[in-house]
C-alpha cells in the first residue's frame, strides 16, 4: 500500500465514522401522526392508539395501561405471556387495505381483530418460559372487510424472553402507513446493518494488509476483531427478525469469539503474553462455547447468556488497559487522543447499556446502542491505526530517499576514488616503466659483453628486472582489459608448444623453491587466442608456483567431449570456500601458512614482495570471460587447489614453423629514428639498436625532429622506421607520426608507450599502429620492429 492509497483508506474510515454518527443520532422510534377523527377509507388519517388494557392471566381482570408499556416499569416479570386489548373507532368503513405498524412487538405473538386472527398463532398452547420472543418492528396487513364502522376490538397476546412490553399501535391505510414503516425500518434495521457491513469490508482490507505485511500485528488483530464484532451485529438483526434458537446460539458464539479476540490482542500487544494467561483464555472461551451449545440443546441459552455477559464485559474492560497503553505510544496529536478516549468510553457505555436493555431494565422503546456506536468507535481506532501505517510508510519513503541519496553519494565517492587510483597507477607505472626499460635493455647488452665469471651476478640482476617487468605488465594487462582494447584473435593453438614455453619461463623459479613443476605431454589442440591463452596459463602456473611451498605443480589437459580442460594442480595452502570469489578481485592475495586458515588481504606493498600485487587471477578471470572460456576452481585447505580452463577442442593441430637461424645483426643497413624524451631510455635504445647493426638518429621531442626534417628534401627523409614514445613533453606520438609522414610519406611506425590509462590505450588500439608497451626486453623490441617493417 503506497502513501496515496493509505490516505484514501483513512478517508473512507472517516466517512464511515460520520455515517455511524448520523445513525447513532437518528431517533429510535417513529411517531405516527395523531388523528382525532378517524378516516373514511379514502385518504383517511393515521390513528395512533396510546391506551390499552393489560393482563398476564386471562383469569384476572385486566387493568388499563398507557402505551408504550414496559413490564419492568410496572414491577412485572420481563418474561412470559401478556395480553392487551385496544379499541379502534372508525366513522366509515374502509375500502382499501389497512395496516398495523408497531415499533416494538414481540415476534412471537397472536393478534385478533374483531375476533379474526390477523397475525401469529395461538399462544395458549405454548410454554410461557420457552415460548418467548424479542420486541421488533412489525408490519401487519389488515383486509378492509375485517374493519367495521364504530368500535373495532384489537386483541394482542405477546410472549417475551426478555424486555416485555408493547409500543404504541399505529393503524391506518397501507399507503399512508408505508412511509412510517419504511422510515422506521431504515433507521432501526437497515442503517446499523449497512454500517456494520461497510465496517466488515474495511476490516477485511486491514486483514489483507496484515496478510501481506505480517509485522502489522496490531492492524491484523484489530481487523479480525472488527470482522467478528460486525458479524455479531449483523447477526443480531437476523435474530431480531427470525428468533430461531440456532441463530441466537450463533449470535452468542460470535460475541464470545469477539471478546476472546480482543483479550488475546491485548495480551499480544502488551509484549509479554504469558503462556498461562493465554491458556486460561483459550480454555475459558472453549468452556463458554460448550455452554452455549448445551444451552441451545436444552433450551437454557438465555440463562447461559445472562451468566456469561458479565464475565465477557469484565474481560473486555481489562483488555482495554494494554490496548490503551499500546495506543499511547503512537505519535498522535491531542485531538486524536481525545477521540480515542471518547471512542473507548462510548463503546464501554454502549456495551453496559445494551446489557441492561437486554435484561429488560429500560424502556421497551429503547434500542441497542452497540450496532450504532461500534462502527463509529472502530472507525476512529481504525483511522488512528491507518494513520500510524501511513506515517510508517512515509518514514520508510524518507529512509529510502535518504538511502538512495547516500548510495549516489557513496557511488560518486567510489568513482572518484577509483579514478584517482587509476590516475595514480597510470602516472606511477608510467614513471616506473622508464627506468625499467633502460635497465632491461642495458642488462641485455651487459650479458653479451661480461666475462663468464660475472654471468651469475648479471643473471640475478636480470631476474630482479624480470620481476619488476612482470608487476608492471600486470598493471598494463589489467588496464587494457578495463579499456576494452583487447580483441581476441582465435585460431588453432597446439597446447604442447604452449606448455613448453611456460615450462621454460617458470621452471627456474620452481627449482629455486625446491618444488616440482610437471607438464603432462599432450597432442591436444584448441581454438583460442594464443597470446591471451598463454597469458592465462602463465598466470595460473606462476600463481601456483608462488603459493606452493612443498610438493609440486602439475599441468595437464583432459579431454571432455568437445572441450579440453586445461588444469593446473598445486599442493599449496588451499583456499577457503568463503574466499574463492574474493581472490579474483584486484590486489587481493591469500595470506597464511599451513595448518592455519588462510585469509584474504589487499596488497599494500608490504609483506612478501615475491607474491606480486595480486593481479594475476583478476587478469585470468577477465581474459577467460573475454575469450568465452569457462573457469573453474576446486580447493581444499592444506591439500591444494585446482584451476581449470575449459577451451573448445579441435582435432587438427597446427603446423609449427621452423624458427630462423639466430642473426647477431638483424637490423643491419636500416635507418631508424627514435623520438624519446627520457635520456636514459633514449641512450639504452640507441645502444641496443646500434648493436643490432642499425643506423640510429635520436631526438628528445617534436621540436628538434621538425628542425631536422626542415633541412631535408620533402619525400626523402631517410627514415626506414620511426620509433616514438607516445607521451612526450608538449606533444604525443600521434603528432610525431603526422609530422614525419607529412614530410616523408608513409613511413613504418612503432609506438612505444608506458601509458596504462584506459582512454590512451583505447586511442592507440583504434589507430591501427604497431604498439610496444613498456617495459619490454630486447627480444620483444626486435619482434615488434620486425612486425612493423613487414
Amino acid at each position: 500500500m503506497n502513501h496515496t492509497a493509505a490516505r484514501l483508506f483513512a478517508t473512507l474510515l472517516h466517512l464511515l465514522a460520520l455515517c455511524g454518527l448520523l445513525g447513532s443520532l437518528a431517533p429510535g422510534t417513529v411517531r405516527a401522526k395523531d388523528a382525532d377523527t378517524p378516516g373514511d377509507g379514502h385518504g383517511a388519517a393515521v390513528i395512533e392508539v396510546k391506551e390499552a388494557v393489560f393482563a398476564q392471566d386471562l383469569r384476572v381482570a385486566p387493568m388499563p395501561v398507557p402505551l408504550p408499556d414496559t413490564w419492568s416499569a410496572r414491577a412485572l416479570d420481563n418474561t412470559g405471556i401478556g395480553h392487551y386489548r385496544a379499541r379502534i373507532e372508525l366513522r366509515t368503513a374502509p375500502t382499501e387495505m389497512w395496516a398495523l405498524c408497531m415499533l416494538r412487538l414481540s415476534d412471537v405473538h397472536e393478534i385478533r381483530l374483531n375476533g379474526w386472527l390477523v397475525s401469529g398463532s395461538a399462544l395458549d398452547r405454548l410454554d410461557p418460559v420457552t415460548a418467548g420472543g424479542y420486541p421488533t418492528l412489525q408490519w401487519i396487513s389488515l383486509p378492509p372487510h375485517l374493519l367495521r364502522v364504530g368500535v373495532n376490538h384489537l386483541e394482542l397476546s405477546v410472549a417475551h424472553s426478555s424486555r416485555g412490553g408493547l409500543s404504541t399501535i399505529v393503524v391506518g391505510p397501507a399507503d399512508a402507513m408505508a412511509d412510517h414503516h419504511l422510515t422506521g425500518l431504515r433507521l432501526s434495521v437497515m442503517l446499523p446493518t449497512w454500517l456494520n457491513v461497510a465496517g466488515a469490508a474495511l476490516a477485511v482490507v486491514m486483514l489483507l494488509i496484515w496478510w501481506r505485511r505480517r509485522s502489522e500485528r496490531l492492524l491484523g488483530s484489530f481487523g479480525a476483531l472488527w470482522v467478528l464484532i460486525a458479524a455479531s451485529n449483523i447477526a443480531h438483526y437476523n435474530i431480531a427478525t427470525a428468533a430461531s434458537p440456532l441463530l441466537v446460539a450463533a449470535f452468542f458464539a460470535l460475541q464470545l469469539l469477539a471478546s476472546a479476540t480482543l483479550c488475546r490482542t491485548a495480551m499480544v500487544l502488551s509484549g509479554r503474553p504469558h503462556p498461562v494467561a493465554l491458556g486460561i483464555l483459550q480454555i475459558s472461551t472453549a468452556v463458554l462455547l460448550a455452554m452455549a451449545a448445551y444451552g441451545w440443546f436444552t433450551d437454557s441459552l438465555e440463562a447461559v447468556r445472562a451468566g456469561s455477559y458479565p464475565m465477557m464485559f469484565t474481560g473486555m474492560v481489562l483488555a482495554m488497559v494494554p490496548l490503551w497503553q499500546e495506543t499511547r505510544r503512537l505519535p498522535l496529536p491531542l485531538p486524536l487522543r481525545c477521540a480515542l478516549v471518547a471512542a473507548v468510553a462510548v463503546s464501554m457505555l454502549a456495551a453496559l447499556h445494551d446489557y441492561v436493555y437486554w435484561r429488560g431494565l429500560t424502556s421497551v422503546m429503547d434500542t441497542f446502542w452497540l450496532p450504532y456506536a461500534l462502527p463509529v468507535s472502530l472507525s476512529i481506532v481504525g483511522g488512528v491505526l491507518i494513520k500510524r501505517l501511513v506515517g510508517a510508510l512515509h518514514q520508510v519513503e524518507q529512509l529510502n530517499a535518504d538511502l538512495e541519496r547516500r548510495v549516489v553519494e557513496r557511488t560518486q565517492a567510489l568513482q572518484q576514488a577509483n579514478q584517482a587510483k587509476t590516475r595514480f597507477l597510470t602516472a606511477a607505472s608510467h614513471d616506473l616503466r622508464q627506468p625499467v626499460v633502460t635497465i632491461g635493455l642495458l642488462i641485455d647488452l651487459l650479458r653479451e659483453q661480461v666475462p663468464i665469471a660475472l654471468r651469475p651476478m648479471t643473471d640475478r640482476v636480470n631476474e630482479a628486472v624480470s620481476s619488476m617487468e612482470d608487476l608492471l605488465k600486470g598493471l598494463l594487462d589489467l588496464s587494457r582489459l578495463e579499456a576494452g582494447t583487447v580483441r581476441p584473435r582465435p585460431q588453432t593453438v597446439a597446447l604442447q608448444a604452449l606448455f613448453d614455453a611456460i615450462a621454460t619461463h617458470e621452471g627456474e623459479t620452481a627449482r629455486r623453491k625446491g618444488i616440482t613443476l610437471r607438464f603432462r605431454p599432450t597432442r591436444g589442440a584448441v581454438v583460442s587466442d594464443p597470446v591471451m591463452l598463454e597469458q592465462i596459463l602463465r598466470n595460473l602456473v606462476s600463481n601456483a608456483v608462488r603459493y606452493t611451498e612443498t610438493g609440486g605443480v602439475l599441468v595437464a589437459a583432459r579431454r571432455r567431449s568437445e572441450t579440453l580442460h586445461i588444469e593446473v594442480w598445486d599442493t599449496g595452502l588451499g583456499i577457503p570456500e568463503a574466499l574463492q570469489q574474493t581472490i579474483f578481485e584486484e590486489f587481493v592475495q591469500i595470506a597464511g601458512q599451513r595448518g592455519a586458515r588462510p585469509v584474504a588481504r589487499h596488497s599494500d606493498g608490504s609483506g612478501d614482495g615475491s607474491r606480486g600485487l595480486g593481479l594475476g587471477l583478476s587478469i585470468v578471470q577477465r581474459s577467460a570471460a573475454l575469450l568465452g572460456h569457462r573457469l573453474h576452481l576446486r580447493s581444499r585447505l592444506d591439500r591444494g587447489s585446482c584451476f581449470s580452463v575449459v577451451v573448445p577442442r579441435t582435432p587438427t593441430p597446427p603446423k609449427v614453423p621452423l624458427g630462423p637461424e639466430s642473426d647477431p645483426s638483424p637490423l643491419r643497413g636500416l635507418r631508424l629514428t627514435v623520438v624519446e624524451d627520457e635520456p636514459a631510455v633514449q641512450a639504452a635504445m640507441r645502444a641496443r639498436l646500434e648493436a643490432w647493426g642499425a643506423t640510429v638518429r635520436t631526438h628528445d621531442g617534436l621540436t628538434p625532429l621538425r628542425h631536422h626534417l626542415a633541412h631535408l628534401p620533402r619525400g626523402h627523409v631517410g627514415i626506414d622506421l620511426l620509433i616514438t614514445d607516445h607521451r612526450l613533453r608538449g606533444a604525443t606520438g600521434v603528432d610525431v607520426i603526422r609530422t614525419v609522414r607529412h614530410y616523408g610519406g608513409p613511413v613504418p611506425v612503432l609506438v612505444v608507450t608506458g601509458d596504462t590509462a584506459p582512454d590512451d590505450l583505447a586511442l592507440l588500439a583504434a589507430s591501427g599502429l604497431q604498439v610496444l608497451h613498456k617495459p619490454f626486453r630486447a627480444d620483444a623490441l626486435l619482434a615488434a620492429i620486425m612486425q612493423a617493417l613487414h
Side-chain angles (χ1 to χ4, degrees):
M1 178 184 289
N2 57 25
H3 190 67
T4 303
R7 284 189 175 276
L8 178 60
F9 186 49
T11 303
L12 292 175
L13 286 175
H14 294 156
L15 291 176
L16 177 62
L18 180 60
C19 293
L21 181 61
L22 294 175
S24 63
L25 293 177
T29 63
V30 178
R31 301 285 299 179
K33 294 186 296 181
D34 293 334
D36 296 332
T37 304
D40 58 1
H42 297 279
V46 174
I47 301 171
E48 184 175 14
V49 179
K50 299 182 178 181
E51 292 183 355
V53 293
F54 170 81
Q56 283 189 319
D57 190 346
L58 294 178
R59 294 171 296 181
V60 179
M63 59 182 297
V65 294
L67 298 180
D69 176 39
T70 303
W71 294 359
S72 61
R74 295 190 287 115
L76 299 177
D77 191 357
N78 273 309
T79 62
I81 299 176
H83 306 277
Y84 290 90
R85 293 180 185 176
R87 298 174 57 182
I88 302 173
E89 294 186 13
L90 297 179
R91 295 179 180 178
T92 60
T95 59
E96 59 183 353
M97 184 67 72
W98 275 43
L100 285 173
C101 182
M102 283 163 281
L103 294 177
R104 296 293 183 269
L105 173 66
S106 175
D107 55 349
V108 180
H109 60 259
E110 175 188 351
I111 300 178
R112 294 180 180 273
L113 178 61
N114 296 324
W116 295 91
L117 182 64
V118 295
S119 179
S121 58
L123 299 183
D124 54 356
R125 295 186 297 272
L126 297 179
D127 185 349
V129 178
T130 62
Y134 300 91
T136 62
L137 175 67
Q138 297 286 340
W139 168 277
I140 300 168
S141 299
L142 298 177
H145 68 275
L146 297 182
L147 294 167
R148 60 195 178 192
V149 177
V151 177
N152 293 269
H153 297 280
L154 185 65
E155 300 176 3
L156 302 95
S157 298
V158 294
H160 284 280
S161 297
S162 63
R163 307 194 302 276
L166 181 67
S167 66
T168 57
I169 303 171
V170 183
V171 62
D175 292 341
M177 294 285 293
D179 292 339
H180 297 280
H181 177 72
L182 185 59
T183 301
L185 185 66
R186 286 172 177 171
L187 293 177
S188 62
V189 177
M190 296 176 64
L191 176 61
T193 298
W194 285 109
L195 280 176
N196 284 275
V197 168
L202 295 177
V204 169
V205 174
M206 299 173 72
L207 286 174
L208 292 176
I209 296 175
W210 168 78
W211 181 261
R212 298 298 301 271
R213 293 176 57 88
R214 292 304 179 91
S215 60
E216 296 293 334
R217 295 184 306 161
L218 182 59
L219 203 62
S221 301
F222 181 76
L225 177 64
W226 195 347
V227 167
L228 290 175
I229 290 175
S232 64
N233 288 335
I234 295 170
H236 161 73
Y237 293 101
N238 293 327
I239 294 172
T241 56
S244 68
L246 180 60
L247 286 176
V248 174
F251 173 57
F252 180 54
L254 286 175
Q255 289 180 320
L256 280 176
L257 291 175
S259 176
T261 303
L262 176 63
C263 295
R264 180 177 177 83
T265 301
M267 291 181 184
V268 172
L269 293 179
S270 66
R272 298 179 298 274
H274 199 281
V276 175
L278 289 175
I280 293 175
L281 175 63
Q282 294 174 353
I283 294 174
S284 301
T285 304
V287 169
L288 290 176
L289 289 174
M291 292 176 60
Y294 173 78
W296 174 50
F297 282 111
T298 60
D299 294 328
S300 59
L301 186 58
E302 293 302 316
V304 173
R305 293 173 68 185
S308 301
Y309 281 147
M311 298 172 55
M312 293 167 55
F313 184 76
T314 302
M316 293 174 65
V317 171
L318 295 177
M320 287 299 166
V321 176
L323 284 176
W324 172 244
Q325 292 176 348
E326 173 67 18
T327 309
R328 288 181 59 190
R329 288 194 288 267
L330 301 177
L332 299 176
L334 182 60
L336 279 182
R337 292 188 183 278
C338 294
L340 282 176
V341 173
V344 173
V346 168
S347 298
M348 293 294 100
L349 180 62
L352 181 61
H353 166 270
D354 287 358
Y355 177 73
V356 174
Y357 172 57
W358 177 75
R359 297 293 293 169
L361 302 179
T362 62
S363 171
V364 71
M365 298 305 297
D366 205 348
T367 186
F368 288 109
W369 290 0
L370 279 177
Y372 297 94
L374 279 179
V376 178
S377 301
L378 293 178
S379 65
I380 293 174
V381 179
V384 171
L385 296 180
I386 292 300
K387 183 176 179 63
R388 167 181 170 271
L389 178 61
V390 171
L393 292 176
H394 181 64
Q395 185 178 9
V396 169
E397 290 175 356
Q398 289 183 333
L399 292 176
N400 286 336
D402 294 340
L403 180 61
E404 291 178 359
R405 178 179 53 79
R406 292 183 180 181
V407 168
V408 171
E409 293 175 353
R410 293 291 178 88
T411 302
Q412 293 176 347
L414 288 175
Q415 289 175 347
Q416 294 174 356
N418 189 53
Q419 292 173 356
K421 179 201 74 172
T422 302
R423 289 193 298 269
F424 169 75
L425 292 176
T426 299
S429 62
H430 179 273
D431 294 341
L432 287 173
R433 290 171 196 276
Q434 307 296 347
V436 172
V437 170
T438 303
I439 296 172
L441 294 175
L442 293 177
I443 197 63
D444 286 337
L445 285 172
L446 184 63
R447 293 179 67 197
E448 296 176 0
Q449 300 176 11
V450 297
I452 298 178
L454 297 178
R455 184 62 63 81
M457 185 178 296
T458 58
D459 289 344
R460 296 187 64 181
V461 175
N462 184 60
E463 291 172 2
V465 174
S466 298
S467 178
M468 288 190 294
E469 288 177 342
D470 290 340
L471 296 178
L472 293 174
K473 285 180 180 178
L475 289 173
L476 174 62
D477 293 337
L478 187 62
S479 298
R480 293 172 63 198
L481 290 169
E482 288 182 347
T485 61
V486 180
R487 297 291 183 268
R489 295 180 175 86
Q491 62 189 64
T492 301
V493 181
L495 290 182
Q496 188 58 51
L498 200 60
F499 285 1
D500 293 341
I502 298 174
T504 302
H505 187 273
E506 299 292 337
E508 182 61 28
T509 304
R511 285 191 294 272
R512 287 199 307 270
K513 293 190 68 174
I515 63 175
T516 61
L517 173 59
R518 294 190 300 116
F519 287 81
R520 183 173 295 172
T522 178
R523 296 181 181 179
V526 296
V527 178
S528 183
D529 184 299
V531 177
M532 296 181 67
L533 183 60
E534 180 180 356
Q535 181 187 48
I536 291 173
L537 296 182
R538 191 183 297 273
N539 275 310
L540 290 177
V541 174
S542 175
N543 195 71
V545 171
R546 184 179 296 122
Y547 286 94
T548 300
E549 302 297 334
T550 60
V553 177
L554 172 65
V555 183
R558 302 179 185 274
R559 178 177 174 179
R560 297 287 189 275
S561 184
E562 299 299 321
T563 61
L564 279 177
H565 289 220
I566 307 175
E567 300 176 344
V568 180
W569 296 80
D570 66 63
T571 57
L573 298 176
I575 305 169
E577 185 175 355
L579 302 180
Q580 290 184 10
Q581 294 299 323
T582 306
I583 60 171
F584 291 102
E585 299 177 3
E586 301 94 334
F587 307 106
V588 171
Q589 298 174 330
I590 297 296
Q593 57 185 1
R594 191 170 296 276
R597 189 174 185 85
V599 296
R601 65 175 178 84
H602 283 264
S603 177
D604 56 2
S606 63
D608 186 3
S610 65
R611 293 192 173 181
L613 293 176
L615 296 176
L617 292 180
S618 176
I619 295 172
V620 166
Q621 186 184 53
R622 299 189 185 201
S623 299
L626 191 60
L627 290 169
H629 302 340
R630 296 195 308 274
L631 184 64
H632 300 295
L633 168 61
R634 301 191 303 275
S635 185
R636 294 180 61 185
L637 289 178
D638 295 329
R639 297 292 297 273
S641 305
C642 174
F643 291 84
S644 61
V645 183
V646 182
V647 189
R649 183 175 61 87
T650 179
T652 306
K655 295 181 179 180
V656 180
L658 297 176
E661 296 181 1
S662 178
D663 184 359
S665 303
L667 304 182
R668 185 184 298 109
L670 294 178
R671 296 167 298 179
L672 307 183
T673 295
V674 177
V675 182
E676 172 63 62
D677 56 0
E678 289 291 334
V681 178
Q682 184 188 105
M685 287 187 63
R686 180 167 190 159
R688 178 68 271 182
L689 295 173
E690 290 178 344
W692 282 332
T695 300
V696 182
R697 180 178 293 275
T698 60
H699 303 281
D700 60 1
L702 180 59
T703 301
L705 176 63
R706 283 176 173 170
H707 289 318
H708 171 72
L709 294 176
H711 295 86
L712 299 177
R714 188 173 296 275
H716 299 281
V717 295
I719 300 177
D720 296 324
L721 176 67
L722 172 65
I723 302 177
T724 178
D725 190 15
H726 179 60
R727 181 186 295 186
L728 301 167
R729 285 185 290 273
T732 66
V734 176
D735 299 328
V736 173
I737 296 168
R738 187 181 298 113
T739 300
V740 172
R741 288 182 172 176
H742 175 72
Y743 280 94
V747 176
V749 175
L750 172 62
V751 178
V752 177
T753 182
D755 290 328
T756 58
D759 294 341
D760 293 334
L761 294 176
L763 179 63
L764 291 174
S767 68
L769 299 171
Q770 181 69 30
V771 180
L772 179 62
H773 294 277
K774 298 177 182 179
F776 51 82
R777 302 303 293 269
D779 54 350
L781 175 61
L782 181 59
I785 291 174
M786 292 302 181
Q787 190 169 357
L789 290 172
H790 296 87

